[in-house]
Amino acid sequence: MAHSERPAAVEVHHPIPITVHPPNAAPLAPAQPGPASAVQSIVLPNGQVVTGYPLTPAPAPAPAAARPAVSRTAVNIALGGIGFGAVCGGLVLLTSFIAALTAFITQLITLAAVTFGGWIAAQIFGTTSHRSGGTTINIRKAVIKRSHFHG
C-alpha cells in the first residue's frame, strides 16, 4: 500500500430515540384549524424539529349495503301465512255463525207454519155450533114432481 492512498473518512450517525410520552413533557397546544401547508413541521418535546409532508388519510371504503339477517321474501311469506291463518279462523267462525243462523230461521219458519196452520185447521174443522156473523140455513127433504118444486 502506498502512502498516497488514504482511507476515506467515515461519518457515523447515532439515531436519537424518541419517547412517545415523556413523563415531564408539557402538553402540546391544540393546532388551530386552517388550511394545511404542503410541508409541516412538528416540534418534539425535546426541542427537535421534524419536517415532512402530511399524510392524507386513505379514503374509507364505501360501506357495503347492510343486508338484513332475514330476507324480505321470507318475512313476506311468514306475514302472509299469519294473515291467511287469521282469515281462515275468521272464515270458520263466520261459516259456523251462518249455519247456526240458518238453523234458527228454519226453526222459526217451522214453528210459524205449525202454529198458523193449526189455527187455520181449527177454524175450518172446528166443532163450535155458534159462529158469529154467519147465516144458518136448514135444508129439508124436498120432493120434486113433474118438474115442480114442493118445499
Side-chain angles (χ1 to χ4, degrees):
M1 250 182 127
H3 251 292
S4 64
E5 294 180 23
R6 294 182 127 217
V10 178
E11 292 183 22
V12 178
H13 295 281
H14 296 286
I16 300 172
I18 300 174
T19 56
V20 179
H21 296 290
N24 57 2
L28 296 176
Q32 295 294 328
S37 61
V39 178
Q40 291 183 342
S41 296
I42 297 174
V43 179
L44 297 177
N46 63 358
Q48 190 178 11
V49 176
V50 178
T51 304
Y53 292 98
L55 297 175
T56 57
R67 299 193 70 188
V70 180
S71 70
R72 291 180 190 253
T73 305
V75 171
N76 288 339
I77 290 172
L79 290 177
I82 291 171
F84 183 73
V87 167
C88 286
L91 288 177
V92 167
L93 290 177
L94 182 64
T95 305
S96 300
F97 175 75
I98 291 173
L101 186 63
T102 303
F104 179 70
I105 291 174
T106 303
Q107 289 177 353
L108 285 180
I109 291 173
T110 304
L111 179 66
V114 167
T115 304
F116 188 65
W119 182 78
I120 290 177
Q123 294 298 319
I124 293 174
F125 301 114
T127 57
T128 56
S129 61
H130 177 58
R131 292 184 184 162
S132 60
T135 303
T136 304
I137 300 174
N138 294 326
I139 300 177
R140 296 183 193 158
K141 190 176 182 182
V143 178
I144 301 173
K145 289 186 178 180
R146 298 186 192 154
S147 301
H148 292 279
F149 177 74
H150 301 281

